[in-house]
């Protein structure tokens, strides 16, 4: 999911410039994208100052709340964001190779974000909130392009005749829920406040009761 957040930042800058990510005008590597969009010499983070790295880090965050064992984790980014209409074909999809022909991103097979599912408690609860970057949305034909979309992902027990559980997301009448708001105060402020700073666009994903390994348990090396 952190890799997806990095991809979203690069995609956001490319689309904000009015360039199709699959076109020849788009960067042809991650390093080229980092150089072009974030002015990082040769695309290497070691070539920028600590202050510049700190400013860059404000675009992606990892937040832990709850108990020390089985904490709740949230990952956010100020990248391209997704409208309610687009969510089912991007963040919520598992069979579409959305980024397969985009050379400057890492996540290309549309399955990496599901890797955390089995660690998210007994019911596998996740919340997804996203809003399209306004600089991108202004050029798109989408009736809900300026709305936040949100849903809940969970694991459901096997139904009659089924052998395994299934993952489902909330979409009443096959529509992702949405609302209008300039921003949301869902980002952390100074410790220990987990909320208070605003997110104007981008994506916020929170997964609950994450099953982390007991740090006191003995490690087996092979």
């Amino acid at each position: 999911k952190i890799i997806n957040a990095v991809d979203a930042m690069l995609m956001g800058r490319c689309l904000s410039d009015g360039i199709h990510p699959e076109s020849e005008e788009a960067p042809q590597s991650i390093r080229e994208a980092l150089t072009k969009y974030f002015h990082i010499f040769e695309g290497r983070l070691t070539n920028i100052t600590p202050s510049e790295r700190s400013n860059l880090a404000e675009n992606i965050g990892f937040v832990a709340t709850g108990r020390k064992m089985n904490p709740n984790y949230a990952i956010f980014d100020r990248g391209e964001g997704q409208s309610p209409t687009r969510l089912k074909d991007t963040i919520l999809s598992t069979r579409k190779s959305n980024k397969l022909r985009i050379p400057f991103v890492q996540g290309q097979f549309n399955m990496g974000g599901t890797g955390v599912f089995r660690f998210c408690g007994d019911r596998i609860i996740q919340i997804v909130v996203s809003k399209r970057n306004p600089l991108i949305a202004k050029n798109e034909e989408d009736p809900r392009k300026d709305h936040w979309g949100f849903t809940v992902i969970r694991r459901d027990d096997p139904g009659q005749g089924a052998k395994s559980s299934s993952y489902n997301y909330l979409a009443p009448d096959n529509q992702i829920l949405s609302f209008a708001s300039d921003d949301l105060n869902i980002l952390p402020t100074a410790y220990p406040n987990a909320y208070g700073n605003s997110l104007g666009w981008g994506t916020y994903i929170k997964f609950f009761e994450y099953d982390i390994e007991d740090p006191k348990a003995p490690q087996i090396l092979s």
Side-chain angles (χ1 to χ4, degrees):
K1 288 187 180 295
I2 292 177
I3 287 175
N4 287 340
V6 175
D7 288 350
M9 289 297 305
L10 298 177
M11 289 279 290
R13 293 299 179 95
C14 182
L15 291 167
S16 295
D17 283 352
I19 297 174
H20 195 288
E22 296 180 10
S23 69
E24 294 182 357
E25 290 76 22
Q28 297 303 300
S29 68
I30 296 174
R31 285 189 178 180
E32 183 181 340
L34 290 172
T35 301
K36 180 175 182 178
Y37 297 130
F38 296 99
H39 310 294
I40 300 173
F41 181 66
E42 294 183 341
R44 298 178 182 274
L45 292 177
T46 53
N47 290 333
I48 61 177
T49 66
S51 176
E52 290 172 328
R53 284 197 293 272
S54 295
N55 291 334
L56 189 62
E58 294 296 320
N59 292 302
I60 297 175
F62 182 90
V63 185
T65 59
R67 299 169 297 179
K68 180 173 291 188
M69 296 301 297
N70 300 110
N72 306 322
Y73 288 143
I75 294 174
F76 68 85
D77 68 73
R78 291 186 171 92
E80 61 171 318
Q82 304 297 337
S83 71
T85 306
R86 295 174 55 87
L87 271 174
K88 63 183 179 66
D89 293 320
T90 53
I91 296 173
L92 299 174
S93 69
T94 57
R95 298 180 180 177
K96 297 185 178 182
S97 299
N98 297 311
K99 298 184 285 187
L100 190 59
R101 292 181 294 275
I102 301 175
F104 60 91
V105 298
Q106 299 178 75
Q108 296 189 332
F109 299 103
N110 206 230
M111 291 293 288
T114 64
V116 301
F117 280 3
R118 67 189 184 95
F119 299 104
C120 297
D122 293 334
R123 302 306 304 181
I124 318 296
I125 299 294
Q126 292 188 66
I127 289 177
V128 179
V129 183
S130 193
K131 180 182 177 181
R132 198 70 163 155
N133 183 327
L135 293 176
I136 304 171
K138 68 180 183 179
N139 298 317
E140 297 179 335
E141 296 295 331
D142 184 342
R144 294 195 291 171
K145 62 185 181 181
D146 59 348
H147 280 55
W148 291 91
F150 72 97
T151 189
V152 178
I153 302 171
R154 75 176 185 188
R155 179 185 64 79
D156 288 333
D157 293 328
Q160 186 175 6
K163 296 182 179 181
S164 60
S165 302
S166 61
Y167 297 105
N168 298 287
Y169 61 83
L170 177 66
D173 297 323
N174 203 31
Q175 292 289 320
I176 295 295
L177 297 170
S178 65
F179 60 93
S181 179
D182 290 338
D183 52 25
L184 299 178
N185 292 328
I186 56 177
L187 302 188
T189 58
Y191 180 83
N193 301 310
Y195 309 99
N197 280 337
S198 65
L199 182 66
W201 68 82
T203 300
Y204 181 98
I205 300 178
K206 187 168 186 175
F207 28 108
F208 294 84
E209 297 182 351
Y210 202 77
D211 182 17
I212 61 175
E213 183 179 341
D214 185 348
K216 297 181 180 179
Q219 301 295 310
I220 300 177
L221 302 178
S222 59

